[in-house]
Amino acid sequence: MAEIPQKLIDSLQVLDPELRNSILEALAPVAPELGDREQAVLERLANGIVGGASPAELNAFVRLLPVTVSRAVQPALEHILEG
């Protein structure tokens, strides 16, 4: 199984440790699909969470991800995405 890129792990450090660990756990099965584009979207998502972006804005980031990645990460973000 592929590992989550260190660059992505580093970019998620802005999040609460519990949320960060939940997201990383959710992403582990889809790690091979985490290319540069996906990492950039996830970094923007994390910064949006920290910056107080609206649930609609955060959902827009999730929709930019490939279906398998968005389905993996969405349950970890459910409480945030629902507002």
Side-chain angles (χ1 to χ4, degrees), residues 19-43:
L19 177 58
R20 179 181 62 244
N21 291 337
S22 179
I23 291 172
L24 290 172
E25 186 176 307
L27 290 172
V30 294
E33 299 179 46
L34 299 176
D36 291 339
R37 180 182 179 281
E38 292 75 23
Q39 291 178 59
V41 171
L42 289 163
E43 181 176 356

Side-chain angles (χ1 to χ4, degrees), residues 1-3 5 9-10 17 26 28-29 33 47-48 55 64 71 73 76-77 80:
M1 182 178 283
E3 290 188 23
I9 294 170
D10 293 344
E33 299 179 46
N47 289 329
L64 291 173
R71 284 185 181 163
V73 76
L77 300 170
I80 296 169

Side-chain angles (χ1 to χ4, degrees), residues 4-12 36 39-40 43:
I4 295 174
Q6 186 62 45
K7 179 182 173 186
L8 177 57
I9 294 170
D10 293 344
S11 71
L12 296 179
D36 291 339
Q39 291 178 59
E43 181 176 356

Side-chain angles (χ1 to χ4, degrees), residues 54-65:
S54 71
E57 290 174 291
L58 299 175
N59 271 307
F61 288 125
V62 173
R63 286 192 302 271
L64 291 173
L65 296 167

